[in-house]
Amino acid sequence: MFDISFDYFFWVVALGTMALGFASGIIGTTIVLEGQSQLGDAIGHSVYPGVIIAFMLFQTRNSLVLLLGAIVVGYIAFVLINWIHKYSHFAYESVLALVLSSFFSLGLMLYRIVQTNPKFQSVNFSGLDNYIMGQAAFLTQFDVNVILIVAVIIALIFWLYYPKIKIYLFDKTFAETIGINTKFINYILLTLSLLAIVIGLQAVGTKLISSMLVAPVVGAMQWTNNYPKTIFLSGFFGLFAGFMGTLLSTNISDLATGPTIVVVLSGIALVSVFIGPKGLLGSYVLRKRGVVS
């Protein structure tokens, strides 16, 4: 049943989802530690109109063009979120919800225009709706190449700025006193997060991409207090979930790849919450031993 050693199409999809899971797990640690998990969800939904606008402007389904459109609109959504929060009395969560729903609704409205406007009938627009729920099973070799390249870029930039990122995450004031440009690091992390989000749209869609950023980190943090180890575990959990989700959906009929990956990730996180050294069982054992009150 699980003999996929020579299945070329399986490995094409698996390599893409594994790279996505690894990159999302790494950059997700910064989102969770900054308490910005909801921001990832808001940006994930907000980039969808960027995909449609890019299609309407260039009338192509080239994934690189569509993802560039998603990045541009993602930045606009981020700037708008911060601007509204700064100059209004609304709670941050309310601003996130407002921008999320507004941008996502705009994307759905534009997609409807593409469907009904004769101007776009000569162009193949099928598959644009896959960016909502994801359709990893239909990833092409080109799509996977884009995911692999962007995942490597995310990992390299993260590694390059890792010492500054670590200080920034745990003590922004100290980071500023030793000369670290915290605004620049913030935009580096935003860019890396956006890249992880947009390369995951085709695989898991706008509705589930935030889980790829948060779930592996939640699982990893139940096993260690050490940040480098958290990064490693989070990346590994994401990579493993990408492989297992693709394997299960390939061999079991009617299982969608993206949701299956997220279910595997959620399962890892839940198990870690219960049995991890910092999870419920670990905390219970420590209380029994009198280590913690």
Side-chain angles (χ1 to χ4, degrees), residues 58-181:
F58 299 100
Q59 297 195 19
T60 176
R61 286 178 56 231
N62 181 286
S63 58
L64 189 56
V65 173
L66 300 183
L67 295 184
L68 287 174
I71 291 175
V72 172
V73 173
Y75 265 111
I76 293 173
F78 176 76
V79 171
L80 186 60
I81 287 169
N82 284 290
W83 184 80
I84 295 175
H85 180 59
K86 182 178 180 179
Y87 294 104
S88 73
H89 62 279
F90 297 113
Y92 189 61
E93 292 76 12
S94 300
V95 177
L96 291 178
L98 172 65
V99 174
L100 181 157
S101 57
S102 300
F103 273 63
F104 188 62
S105 298
L106 174 63
L108 295 177
M109 183 186 73
L110 292 175
Y111 179 65
R112 180 60 179 171
I113 292 174
V114 168
Q115 283 183 308
T116 57
N117 194 317
K119 178 181 178 181
F120 303 106
Q121 298 309 304
S122 61
V123 186
N124 182 14
F125 59 82
S126 64
L128 290 179
D129 56 333
N130 290 339
Y131 286 86
I132 299 176
M133 293 301 297
Q135 193 63 272
F138 291 96
L139 288 174
T140 66
Q141 181 67 63
F142 178 80
D143 298 331
V144 171
N145 288 340
V146 172
I147 293 174
L148 289 172
I149 291 171
V150 175
V152 169
I153 290 173
I154 291 173
L156 286 177
I157 294 177
F158 185 88
W159 175 79
L160 181 64
Y161 287 97
Y162 170 74
K164 294 181 179 180
I165 289 174
K166 183 177 180 180
I167 297 173
Y168 168 85
L169 289 175
F170 290 96
D171 196 332
K172 292 182 178 64
T173 302
F174 177 69
E176 290 178 348
T177 61
I178 62 175
I180 294 177
N181 188 335

Side-chain angles (χ1 to χ4, degrees), residues 6 53 106 145 156 220 230 241 275 281 288:
F6 303 102
I53 291 172
L106 174 63
N145 288 340
L156 286 177
T230 300
I275 70 171
L281 182 59
K288 279 293 185 179

